[in-house]
Amino acid sequence: MLGFLIQRLAQALVVMLAMSGLVFVGVFAIGNPIDVLISPDATQDIRAAAIAQYGLDRPLWEQYFSFLGRALHGELGQSLVYNMPVADLILSRLPATLELAVTAVLGAALIGVPVGMYAGYRPESRISKAIMALSILGFSVPTFWIGLVLIFTFAVQLGWLPAGGRGETSSLFGIEWSFLTGDGLAHLILPAINLALFKFALMIRLARAGTREVMLTDTIKFARAAGLGERTVLLRHVLRLISIPIITVFGLEFGSTLAFAVVTETIFSWPGLGKLIIDSITMLDRPVMVAYLVLVAFFFITINLVVDLSYAALDPRLRRRRA
């Protein structure tokens, strides 16, 4: 197990280096932030001074290794637009995206998996057919349209929930969180529902398909023949057997939600990383764009590592094979 962990960490390091190079070259190939930062009427001397001030006159490889050197010391550069360290800027927005993504993905999994298992356990019932119809709706309706419908219904017409913003926050371990206050929780509900609907439908379909397949295996037949109740069969055997693909999808969806909640954050004016990257792309804020994309790669690599370790914890055959 230790050898597997060391191997995966070495792979993660190589992937991070490759991704940082690709991101750096890709971002620096588009546009020139100086065109956005200074007036079009500025003289050539002012323009040259601005380019030299931000180090954009140096060769690309020199800028990249300078970025790597600073990143190893926790410095991700200075935002050209916000005029503050990029690391501080990202850390100030990360908690908002983190609590939104965790609420959406965890809620989708905790509700979607049991509902999907029921749909697979009783596939011919009317409730199961209604569940499957609901899951199709979750897949087929665009996220931005659902967000607008939620705002119109619950904020404009009924006035039950706020239409946007993060609301009042409270500090925990020095970090501001919305879910700790009633007002913040009210602001969190609509964007979390909007972000969770697709994942909810995905969990339902995944759990239903896995349950239907596992119910036909010899393991379940032997468990029933041994006199175990249906509830025990479902919770102890079926849930365990279908958990590996569900954990895989859960990890990937959590990573993508954390990185790409752009549409939901824009519709609900949620001050997270998604809104930050949109603003940075608009203003060609290169240091923020590079740091954000490298951070996204880091999220995915870390989550995949955790998912692989979860496999070993759930399936004894994988532990023996790796040992």
Side-chain angles (χ1 to χ4, degrees), residues 92-111:
S92 69
R93 301 293 188 95
L94 184 59
T97 297
L98 190 62
E99 66 178 350
L100 179 61
V102 169
T103 304
V105 178
L106 207 58
L110 292 178
I111 299 175

Side-chain angles (χ1 to χ4, degrees), residues 92-103 151 162-169 176-181 183-195 257-258 261-279:
S92 69
R93 301 293 188 95
L94 184 59
T97 297
L98 190 62
E99 66 178 350
L100 179 61
V102 169
T103 304
I151 290 174
R166 199 181 175 198
E168 185 182 351
T169 60
E176 296 295 322
W177 302 98
S178 292
F179 70 92
L180 296 176
T181 67
D183 182 60
L185 201 58
H187 282 78
L188 180 62
I189 291 175
L190 287 185
I193 291 175
N194 184 51
L195 201 57
T257 304
L258 202 56
V262 176
V263 175
T264 298
E265 289 188 359
T266 303
I267 291 175
F268 289 93
S269 300
W270 189 261
L273 289 177
K275 195 168 187 309
L276 174 65
I277 189 62
I278 290 294
D279 294 340

